Amino acid sequence: MTLLSISAFLSLLLPPLFPQSPGAHACDSIASQALRQNGQRTFENKQFAVAAQNFQQAFDACPDEHSILLQLSEVHLRLKQFEEAIQVARHFLDLEPASTTGELALANAYFMAQRLTEAQRETFTVLKTDPANPLALKLKGNIEYFSGHLDLALGTFIALLDKHPNDEEGAYMLGRIYYQEGRIEQASGQFQRVLRINPRSYRAFDNLGLCYESLGDSEMATRSFLTAIKLVESDAPEYDWAYANLANLLLEEGNAQKAFAAASQAADRNPYSARNFYLGGKALAALGKNDLSANWLERSVALDPKYPEPLYLLARVYTQLGQLEKAQATLEKFRVVKAAAPRERK
Amino acid sequence: MGRVGTAIVLLAACALSALVAVVGSAQVQHAPTSAPVSPIRFRNVATESGIDFVLENSATPEKQLIETMPGGVVAFDYDGDGLIDIFFTNGASVPSLEKSQPKFRNRLYKNMGGMRFKDVTAEAGLAGIGYSMGATAADYDNDGHIDLFVTGVNSNHLYRNLGNGTFADVTQKAGIHSDVWSVAAGWFDYDKDGRLDLFVVNYLKWSPDNTLFCGDPNGPRAYCHPRFFAGLPNTLYHNRGDGTFEDVSIRTGIASHIGKGMSVAFADYDQDGFPDVFVTNDKVPNFLFHNLGNGKFEEVGLETGVALPDHGKDISAMGTDFRDYDNDGLPDIVMAALAGETFPLFHNEGKGWFRDATYHSHLGVLTNKRSGWSAAFVDFNNDGWKDLFVSGSHVNDTVEAFEATPYRLPNAVFANSRNGTFQDSSSAAGADFQMPGVHRGAAFADFNNDGKIDVVVSQIGGQAELWENTSPADNTWIDVKLSGLTSNRDGLGAHVRIGSQSNDMTSAVGYASSSLAPVHFGTGSLRQVDIEIHWPSGIRQTLRGVPTNQVVPISEPSEK
């Protein structure tokens, strides 16, 4: 789970349309609006490339509709086209130099591009004039966290929540930082807070499950994951983390059969997650189904060749299948990957 | 989507109904209960036995890493009276690393019989020098008297047993180095020349000048993770047979591998007749040094599957044992680790590789929340199946400020269910067995000669524990006391079989500890057994119809 989801929140807070500013450009506002609506629809359907095309055409049809650029910048971020996102946000600011929303969009684009110094500069510009701006504070906290200034990040999120005690995203982010730092009780407190603000926050239930798991309370962890899953079924069919986290817990509890079922659901929801296929492969290996396990692990490795855990298990499974050359080759890859990027996934 | 993809989708579809069951039940399944086993019970008799040793680690506000690591325990019969004695290593002042006060002395306790011990440290000359860590016992010069090697922080010592109740420090004369932090050591005859060689496990580069700060700047300071320190290669000394040793670490290939070594165990995993070396490492992959039989070793930990558990992540591997737990004749590997890492168990598949059997054996579920140091496979209830003992404690005394896991823990005993799985017998092992402590080293022997293996455990800042095995005496047993002739005198490396059971003569077991005692077999209801011995020399020896419930002295025959 990443803290980089702030871009989604920026997009939610954008005004639907900026007031049309006077200008000399030719403006076909009816065509522009239709294209923009198409863009919004395709964006919601996660057809980001098409959405980008729609927004670009909408802006071209009526260049006076500056706010379309903010949506275009956001789509570029979703497409991981960070430089394009930065350029478009800058273009917007050239047209609307006093726009706080524009400053935040540019700051967010820099942040997503991991250009943290520039992101920080833009964020401070906003905070100078609006020190309590919640989006700016959230960006600031994230920038501090990713710059390794943990204490500063915690201070920023705590300050944010002092000013905006019902900021769901702020509490969630603070909980995530606490969790990542192993301060489980505090993390748990923040996820509980999120649930007081929004009782249907499946992400909070999911993370609460992780906290209970860390605290050794398997039963409450299971309950939390299952509650998250129930909410996900109706509210967020694409959310796969709760299934994967449940699968991981079930594996640690020695229940490989059910772990496989949960991992399968996670993979069904997100077939591009290497972790989901790793968990499925791990469950199958524990069940002694090495042939099938190899399939799942191969898929995991294909999705993320720099993820060490499936590489190692795949090498072990190949060994058990008697495929010693493949085992050796996979071990070599594991050695390289492990030396380069040891990391934890949760 | 190709064939693989289709298979995956089909499997995912089949799994839907199973997940409904998951969602429908909030209960997490725990390890299935296994068949009843003979009870295992212990009673701590340290106080009445006269063992008053307290392990002193000199805890400092600077949280120097060495403070977390002592200390080893040795069970050995130093005076040859048939009663197993006990030696404890001890810390020293920090940063001087000197045994500046009597409380820092290493300690030798002579077994007086009837579970009574007497401190004979001074007369034996074993008070020691420096900040000691581990120790290992064997008769390296084949003179019939068991010698002692003590590891420490920049200070290793070889003590030769003079046979008159005293020891002489022969470190320099023997050519032993003493300049890095060594934790554990073990004796084995890697080249099968009949003389015991010495494997020294080195941890990491540390100096008393270390000022590294770890932990929360606004909260409690913590001991630093080993990743902040550079690792070290291990050391192998070849016994020249004239009282001196040659460092052959480079020549044999041992020095080519940098680790953060914690403990060592020996067994011939691939049955090629040469003893192999397993070394646990702290947060780096473990080593399995395959003895090629030509004076060289090849590190095959990853290839054989014992470097890491199946998840591929580094763990804090602690003490270890390398023995056959499922009576298939092949030595398996178990190790202690910290909470969240389980106590990994690697089953020897007999094809040159091991299978991670941690969860299959139920140890995964049973140990995931435990932290431990000394691990050993011992048949405590004499039912013919080795059980698992692990001394308990986390490494970091401030862990509770950072993680949901206790620092002080009770020891644990897992009974072998005789079907490849274990069950946690700790809660039924006795009231005092539930007491938490800062346990470290452990040694295993029948201290009162009642046919049941007892345990001695060191404890930082607390009195050592002597766990008398009080399990019901319904089952029979036999102890095989080897005496090598062509092979080394202790018979280290001998493989002993009784029926389907097998065990190895070794003194390297647990964390930084050593147990040099007869090879123990529980024999269930058998009144007599056949004993088959495969000596390191290659000589095979069989004794038929040997009555149980006795210690059987067996000398190596002079011919093959």
Side-chain angles (χ1 to χ4, degrees):
Chain A
M1 196 167 294
T2 170
L3 285 165
L4 299 179
S5 57
I6 195 163
S7 61
F9 290 87
L10 276 171
S11 68
L12 291 175
L13 295 179
L14 293 177
L17 281 174
F18 271 7
Q20 196 167 339
S21 53
H25 306 292
C27 176
D28 181 349
S29 60
I30 295 172
S32 176
Q33 191 155 356
L35 285 161
R36 190 175 194 177
Q37 282 170 354
N38 279 348
Q40 284 167 334
R41 195 170 52 250
T42 50
F43 181 89
E44 283 159 16
N45 291 334
K46 300 187 189 310
Q47 297 169 278
F48 299 123
V50 180
Q53 208 172 15
N54 289 154
F55 287 134
Q56 184 64 59
Q57 288 168 346
F59 182 71
D60 292 343
C62 185
D64 291 339
E65 293 284 1
H66 301 161
S67 62
I68 295 171
L69 292 174
L70 294 173
Q71 289 173 296
L72 184 57
S73 178
E74 170 64 20
V75 174
H76 282 307
L77 288 182
R78 297 301 181 95
L79 290 165
K80 298 186 178 172
Q81 296 167 346
F82 301 121
E83 290 309 315
E84 289 86 342
I86 290 166
Q87 279 175 23
V88 171
R90 272 193 189 141
H91 187 187
F92 174 84
L93 272 175
D94 289 343
L95 298 167
E96 302 273 350
S99 168
T100 299
T101 313
E103 289 284 1
L104 286 170
L106 182 59
N108 188 48
Y110 278 133
F111 176 67
M112 297 293 280
Q114 297 188 33
R115 290 165 63 173
L116 299 183
T117 308
E118 289 133 308
Q120 194 168 38
R121 187 189 63 215
E122 298 301 328
T123 307
F124 282 169
T125 305
V126 175
L127 287 171
K128 259 187 213 166
T129 52
D130 183 4
N133 185 299
L135 279 175
L137 285 170
K138 277 180 263 191
L139 259 176
K140 179 173 177 275
N142 273 317
I143 292 163
E144 288 163 344
Y145 181 71
F146 282 96
S147 303
H149 302 302
L150 175 65
D151 287 346
L152 290 178
L154 287 173
T156 300
F157 280 112
I158 290 165
L160 164 75
L161 290 165
D162 282 346
K163 290 170 182 146
H164 306 280
N166 289 323
D167 190 309
E168 179 185 340
E169 186 65 9
Y172 175 78
M173 286 175 177
L174 183 57
R176 283 297 304 170
I177 293 180
Y178 279 138
Y179 179 77
Q180 300 275 13
E181 296 304 313
R183 296 164 69 169
I184 306 300
E185 298 280 4
Q186 286 124 313
S188 178
Q190 291 306 318
F191 296 130
Q192 299 276 12
R193 176 184 195 151
V194 172
L195 289 172
R196 285 196 295 276
I197 300 165
N198 174 13
R200 290 189 69 80
S201 172
Y202 50 85
R203 292 190 308 166
F205 275 114
D206 187 17
N207 279 276
L208 210 48
L210 291 176
C211 291
Y212 283 126
E213 185 182 350
S214 293
L215 293 169
D217 190 340
S218 301
E219 190 171 334
M220 283 304 292
T222 309
R223 282 184 200 280
S224 299
F225 291 140
L226 292 174
T227 308
I229 285 169
K230 273 185 188 168
L231 291 168
V232 162
E233 298 280 352
S234 57
D235 297 358
E238 77 288 351
Y239 187 84
D240 58 317
W241 282 90
Y243 294 93
N245 290 332
L246 178 62
N248 191 60
L249 175 67
L250 289 164
L251 277 168
E252 288 183 2
E253 293 292 322
N255 196 334
Q257 190 70 49
K258 287 182 177 175
F260 176 67
S264 299
Q265 286 289 301
D268 194 39
R269 275 162 172 73
N270 182 0
Y272 301 104
S273 161
R275 182 183 183 232
N276 293 344
F277 283 92
Y278 166 58
L279 290 167
K282 193 175 175 183
L284 286 165
L287 292 166
K289 296 177 179 174
N290 286 332
D291 279 329
L292 296 172
S293 173
N295 291 346
W296 280 66
L297 294 169
E298 283 166 356
R299 175 62 65 91
S300 177
V301 168
L303 286 167
D304 186 353
K306 293 183 177 173
Y307 186 8
E309 286 91 334
L311 275 170
Y312 185 73
L313 184 56
L314 183 58
R316 300 303 315 142
V317 168
Y318 282 147
T319 301
Q320 290 174 32
L321 288 168
Q323 300 173 15
L324 299 182
E325 282 185 18
K326 283 169 99 174
Q328 194 59 39
T330 309
L331 264 186
E332 285 308 316
K333 287 181 192 165
F334 168 74
R335 281 192 179 100
V336 173
V337 167
K338 188 169 189 297
R343 53 183 168 164
E344 296 275 332
R345 292 186 175 221
K346 227 178 197 186
Chain B
M1 189 176 283
R3 282 169 52 212
V4 171
T6 309
I8 289 171
V9 167
L10 281 174
L11 270 166
C14 294
L16 284 174
S17 57
L19 189 67
V20 171
V22 175
V23 175
S25 164
Q27 294 298 313
V28 175
Q29 280 198 355
H30 294 280
T33 51
S34 305
V37 296
S38 304
I40 299 171
R41 298 215 171 87
F42 292 104
R43 186 168 66 100
N44 185 6
V45 297
T47 301
E48 51 265 48
S49 74
I51 293 196
D52 54 1
F53 174 73
V54 174
L55 177 54
E56 299 286 351
N57 69 337
S58 285
T60 62
E62 291 77 28
K63 298 282 179 190
Q64 298 287 9
L65 194 56
I66 57 169
E67 301 157 17
T68 65
M69 300 285 282
V73 187
V74 179
F76 72 131
D77 182 5
Y78 85 98
D79 54 357
D81 64 357
L83 298 167
I84 305 288
D85 312 294
I86 299 172
F87 176 79
F88 295 98
T89 66
N90 205 352
S93 292
V94 177
S96 71
L97 306 185
E98 288 175 4
K99 290 192 187 297
S100 55
Q101 298 173 52
K103 68 176 184 176
F104 292 126
R105 290 182 307 153
N106 298 330
R107 222 60 62 84
L108 177 65
Y109 289 90
K110 175 178 164 56
N111 190 337
M112 310 300 289
M115 235 18 164
R116 299 285 304 169
F117 290 81
K118 180 185 170 193
D119 185 341
V120 294
T121 309
E123 43 269 54
L126 283 179
I129 298 168
Y131 201 111
S132 306
M133 284 280 150
T136 184
D139 179 8
Y140 77 87
D141 53 1
N142 291 332
D143 67 353
H145 307 296
I146 302 171
D147 312 293
L148 199 58
F149 182 74
V150 180
T151 63
V153 183
N154 309 337
S155 178
N156 294 333
H157 294 273
L158 177 61
Y159 296 99
R160 181 166 177 260
N161 188 335
L162 302 179
N164 59 359
T166 69
F167 291 78
D169 186 336
V170 296
T171 312
Q172 280 202 318
K173 195 172 122 191
I176 303 289
H177 305 173
S178 197
D179 50 5
V180 294
W181 179 359
S182 306
V183 171
W187 296 99
F188 75 130
D189 183 7
Y190 78 89
D191 56 352
K192 302 208 296 183
D193 62 359
R195 296 187 290 261
L196 289 174
D197 310 300
L198 178 63
F199 192 98
V200 182
V201 178
N202 299 318
Y203 187 45
L204 45 75
K205 288 182 184 171
W206 176 89
S207 126
D209 304 328
N210 167 61
T211 54
L212 199 59
F213 182 96
C214 297
D216 183 348
N218 301 316
R221 191 169 183 169
Y223 290 102
C224 289
H225 191 282
R227 70 170 175 269
F228 293 108
F229 302 87
L232 290 167
N234 297 300
T235 312
L236 177 59
Y237 293 102
H238 178 248
N239 187 339
R240 290 194 182 103
D242 59 359
T244 68
F245 291 81
E246 178 189 4
D247 184 341
V248 293
S249 313
I250 294 172
R251 194 172 77 207
T252 54
I254 295 294
S256 305
H257 302 275
I258 308 291
K260 293 174 182 174
M262 294 291 281
S263 274
V264 63
F266 309 102
D268 179 10
Y269 82 94
D270 59 346
Q271 312 286 289
D272 65 357
F274 289 90
D276 308 300
V277 186
F278 179 70
V279 179
T280 52
N281 280 315
D282 194 1
K283 284 290 183 184
V284 291
N286 303 313
F287 295 144
L288 178 57
F289 292 107
H290 178 216
N291 189 337
L292 300 177
N294 60 359
K296 291 188 184 302
F297 290 83
E298 180 187 19
E299 203 288 297
V300 295
L302 275 174
E303 289 78 358
T304 53
V306 298
L308 299 163
D310 267 357
H311 52 58
K313 293 179 192 167
D314 297 318
I315 61 164
S316 311
M318 304 290 206
T320 187
D321 202 1
F322 199 165
R323 255 183 253 265
D324 175 19
Y325 75 91
D326 62 342
N327 291 348
D328 66 356
L330 299 168
D332 312 296
I333 292 175
V334 70
M335 69 202 73
L338 298 183
E341 297 175 335
T342 73
F343 297 160
L345 172 64
F346 296 104
H347 180 263
N348 190 335
E349 296 289 308
K351 303 163 192 165
W353 52 271
F354 293 74
R355 180 173 51 85
D356 183 343
T358 311
Y359 280 92
H360 177 78
S361 66
H362 300 172
L363 283 179
V365 176
L366 297 175
T367 65
N368 198 30
K369 289 168 190 160
R370 290 186 181 271
S371 300
W373 290 77
S374 278
F377 281 132
V378 178
D379 184 358
F380 291 109
N381 52 12
N382 288 338
D383 66 351
W385 296 81
K386 294 179 195 74
D387 313 296
L388 174 64
F389 183 97
V390 181
S391 61
S393 169
H394 199 276
V395 65
N396 203 333
D397 64 351
T398 54
V399 65
E400 289 158 35
F402 302 97
E403 293 177 33
T405 189
Y407 173 53
R408 303 168 68 86
L409 282 165
N411 301 311
V413 63
F414 304 94
N416 192 321
S417 302
R418 307 184 299 269
N419 58 2
T421 70
F422 290 85
Q423 49 192 285
D424 193 340
S425 295
S426 309
S427 61
D432 47 354
F433 199 75
Q434 316 309 317
M435 290 298 290
V438 189
H439 303 110
R440 290 293 185 266
F444 307 84
D446 181 3
F447 293 111
N448 55 359
N449 289 341
D450 67 351
K452 292 177 287 186
I453 300 296
D454 312 296
V455 188
V456 57
V457 184
S458 67
Q459 190 181 179
I460 290 177
Q463 185 183 8
E465 295 164 351
L466 178 57
W467 294 101
E468 181 185 5
N469 187 337
T470 56
S471 309
D474 303 337
N475 291 323
T476 61
W477 55 277
I478 193 162
D479 280 1
V480 179
K481 188 175 182 181
L482 300 174
S483 183
L485 187 65
T486 310
S487 305
N488 65 85
R489 180 146 181 151
D490 292 328
L492 292 183
H495 187 68
V496 186
R497 289 192 70 96
I498 292 182
S500 63
Q501 287 192 67
S502 68
N503 208 338
D504 294 292
M505 181 61 196
T506 176
S507 70
V509 59
Y511 168 71
S513 297
S514 178
S515 302
L516 187 67
V519 187
H520 178 81
F521 289 86
T523 46
S525 57
L526 298 176
R527 298 291 163 204
Q528 57 179 31
V529 293
D530 296 342
I531 304 171
E532 186 185 329
I533 301 156
H534 187 178
W535 292 86
S537 60
I539 294 171
R540 288 178 184 271
Q541 183 179 13
T542 303
L543 289 83
R544 301 200 183 279
V546 183
T548 54
N549 285 346
Q550 63 163 331
V551 179
V552 187
I554 299 176
S555 295
E556 183 179 16
S558 55
E559 293 176 2
K560 289 191 182 182

